């Protein structure tokens, strides 16, 4: 086999492996968006129940009422942003990958989903943060001051722990490899498997001669 033919074969193999990797990443991103959509729907449901069933006491201060309604509608708006965006991404991303005009449509779909993920994560984080503030505001409206203070401290500690653990978990669990590194790793794994098969065949042939 000539050198040019070997290069073409290697390029075709790398392209095939990269598309296989892109299909796996597409499935991974779709599952991430689906998980965030379910969580955002759950938070939004709790918020709708709160705004429809909670009766604000008449003696509640004006500033506390303002904080309550502002964070409530902010959380609901952020949750709706997550719901709408993730639904569209789960529909349009795989649609582009399956029915795109070029053979690299799946790569374009993955790149598009990857570019939209930070905005969805930001809206999801805002929804959780405002949801916690709603819980604090509700506790100060319907509870005694001592209980409301204890509730606020518990929520602040939980938020602080989450804020501390999230960057640590991201640092430990994030993928440091680029798509090119992953393709090279897949090629090396395939080469190792082929070498093992060749070794087994050589051992079998040698045993037959013996």
């Amino acid at each position: 086999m000539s050198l040019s033919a070997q290069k073409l074969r290697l390029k075709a193999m790398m392209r095939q492996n990269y598309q296989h990797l892109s299909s796996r990443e597409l499935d991974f991103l779709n599952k991430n968006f689906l998980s965030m959509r379910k969580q955002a729907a759950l938070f939004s449901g709790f918020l709708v129940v709160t705004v429809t069933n909670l009766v604000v006491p008449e003696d509640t201060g004006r500033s506390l009422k303002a904080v309550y309604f502002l964070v409530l509608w902010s959380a609901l708006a952020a949750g709706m942003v997550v719901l709408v965006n993730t639904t569209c991404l789960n529909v349009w991303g795989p649609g582009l990958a399956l029915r795109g005009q070029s053979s690299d449509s799946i790569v374009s779909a993955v790149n598009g989903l990857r570019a939209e993920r930070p905005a969805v994560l930001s809206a999801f984080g805002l929804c959780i943060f405002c949801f916690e503030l709603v819980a604090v505001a509700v506790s100060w409206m319907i509870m005694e001051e001592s209980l409301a203070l204890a509730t606020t401290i518990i929520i602040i500690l939980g938020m602080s722990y989450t804020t501390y653990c999230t960057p640590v978990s991201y640092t430990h669990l994030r993928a440091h490899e680029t798509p090119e590194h992953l393709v090279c790793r897949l090629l090396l794994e395939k080469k190792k498997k082929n070498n093992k098969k060749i070794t087994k065949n050589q051992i079998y042939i040698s045993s037959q001669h013996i």
Side-chain angles (χ1 to χ4, degrees), residues 26-27 46 67 78 99 109 135 143:
L26 179 67
D27 182 63
F46 280 130
V67 171
R99 297 186 295 271
M143 294 181 180

Side-chain angles (χ1 to χ4, degrees), residues 114-132:
R114 199 185 299 158
E116 294 292 333
R117 185 169 56 176
V120 176
L121 287 174
S122 299
F124 184 68
L126 179 62
C127 178
I128 295 176
F129 178 73
C130 292
F131 184 85
E132 298 285 351

Side-chain angles (χ1 to χ4, degrees), residues 150-204:
T151 304
T152 303
I153 293 173
I154 292 172
I155 292 176
I156 291 175
L157 289 176
M159 293 173 64
S160 301
Y161 181 76
T162 303
T163 305
Y164 168 76
C165 288
T166 301
V168 175
S169 301
Y170 174 76
T171 303
H172 290 167
L173 300 177
R174 66 173 179 169
H176 295 278
E177 294 176 309
T178 62
E180 290 77 11
H181 292 156
L182 292 175
V183 171
C184 293
R185 181 165 58 82
L186 289 173
L187 289 174
L188 289 174
E189 290 177 356
K190 190 172 183 179
K191 184 177 180 181
K192 288 180 181 178
K193 291 180 180 179
N194 292 335
N195 290 337
K196 288 182 180 179
K197 289 181 180 179
I198 293 173
T199 305
K200 289 181 180 179
N201 291 334
Q202 290 177 348
I203 293 172
Y204 176 76

Side-chain angles (χ1 to χ4, degrees), residues 6 42 44 56 82 112:
Q6 290 180 355
L42 183 63
S44 299
V56 180
V82 175

